[in-house]
Amino acid sequence: MKRKHIKHEMVHFSIKFQKRSFLITCFSILFLLKFCLTQSPYSNTMNSSKKKYRSFKHWACYYGDKPELLKKLENYDLVIMEPDIENFTPPEKTKTTYIGYVSLGEAERFRWYWYHIEGGKFILYENKNWKDDFIIDIRSIVWQNLLIEKIIPKILKKGYHGLFFDTIDTPIYLEEKDPKKFRGSVEALANLIHRIRKKYPSIVLISNNGL
């Protein structure tokens, strides 16, 4: 499972314009929005959003907390960020679209919500590729409700304009690896994303892998 990951020590990524990656990301945005909005009450929202994002030319993905770099983020049309850093919230008046990172298929031990889920039956095992990162059974209604009722609202309350979904390839991997044990994982992922879109019809949704 290849994906970007946020380490506890807050790795600082260089900010640069990546035209090819941006086009791929735009495709993921539109695909995910189409999946959640086509033939739904939110179709008008998707159409207006498409016009806005087509004008974007520069974007950045920054998971760090260096003040001098945080200040430069307003030079970009769209920025994907780590929402749990303590010394930053998106400006109220800005032309930049700020997107907050959220992991759907895995949970890190350093997250503020870890004490809510530690010991939960839906925590399957530690990801061998990432220390203190745990695979989640996305079919768990407890996990889904935590995302929708606590984790996501906290991100949006800070002023972020949308969400960057990471680890959505994890439930796909689980069901492919053991179809009997993890049957319904992909469907649960789709239903979860639909629930998020239904509750937050106007925010931006971007997927990392899985599509």
Side-chain angles (χ1 to χ4, degrees):
M1 296 176 286
K2 296 180 179 179
R3 59 185 176 83
K4 289 180 180 177
H5 186 83
I6 304 173
K7 293 185 178 180
H8 180 47
E9 56 268 24
M10 303 292 290
V11 175
H12 296 282
F13 288 89
S14 61
I15 303 177
K16 59 182 179 180
F17 171 52
Q18 300 179 9
K19 183 175 181 180
R20 182 180 179 187
S21 296
F22 177 69
L23 292 175
I24 294 173
T25 302
C26 279
F27 176 79
S28 295
I29 296 174
L30 297 180
F31 188 97
L32 189 55
L33 286 173
K34 182 176 181 180
F35 170 80
C36 294
L37 301 180
T38 299
Q39 297 181 342
S40 76
Y42 315 121
S43 296
N44 291 334
T45 301
M46 182 182 72
N47 291 332
S48 61
S49 297
K50 286 168 65 175
K51 293 179 182 180
K52 177 182 178 180
Y53 304 129
R54 281 173 179 166
S55 67
F56 285 179
K57 295 181 179 180
H58 299 83
W59 76 287
C61 182
Y62 183 62
Y63 295 152
D65 59 356
K66 290 183 177 180
E68 65 272 21
L69 292 182
L70 291 171
K71 189 175 182 180
K72 293 180 179 180
L73 295 178
E74 286 200 66
N75 297 324
Y76 293 82
D77 297 312
L78 183 145
V79 180
I80 297 171
M81 297 188 65
E82 163 55 58
D84 287 344
I85 58 176
E86 297 180 356
N87 62 337
F88 178 85
T89 56
E92 291 185 10
K93 296 181 179 180
T94 179
K95 294 182 179 179
T96 302
T97 296
Y98 288 90
I99 307 298
Y101 174 101
V102 60
S103 177
L104 298 187
E106 300 181 22
E108 300 109 329
R109 190 189 296 275
F110 68 86
R111 293 290 176 184
W112 63 266
Y113 56 80
W114 179 255
Y115 79 94
H116 285 289
I117 65 173
E118 187 172 12
K121 294 182 179 180
F122 54 88
I123 301 176
L124 301 175
Y125 55 87
E126 186 172 8
N127 187 330
K128 64 180 181 180
N129 297 312
W130 301 100
K131 182 178 174 57
D132 291 332
D133 185 292
F134 294 84
I135 307 296
I136 295 291
D137 187 343
I138 204 168
R139 297 171 297 179
S140 167
I141 193 66
V142 174
W143 171 246
Q144 292 186 23
N145 288 343
L146 181 66
L147 281 165
I148 293 175
E149 297 172 6
K150 293 186 179 294
I151 297 175
I152 291 175
K154 186 170 182 176
I155 294 173
L156 299 179
K157 189 175 181 180
K158 290 182 177 181
Y160 287 91
H161 307 111
L163 304 169
F164 178 72
F165 293 150
D166 196 14
T167 65
I168 66 173
D169 55 329
T170 300
I172 299 172
Y173 165 78
L174 290 174
E175 189 163 359
E176 288 179 348
K177 181 181 178 182
D178 193 334
K180 184 177 180 180
K181 183 177 181 180
F182 295 106
R183 180 178 301 167
S185 293
V186 176
E187 182 180 3
L189 169 66
N191 290 338
L192 172 60
I193 294 174
H194 182 74
R195 286 182 63 192
I196 294 171
R197 170 50 74 208
K198 185 176 181 180
K199 185 165 185 178
Y200 306 102
S202 62
I203 67 173
V204 185
L205 300 181
I206 303 178
S207 66
N208 186 28
N209 287 340
L211 295 179

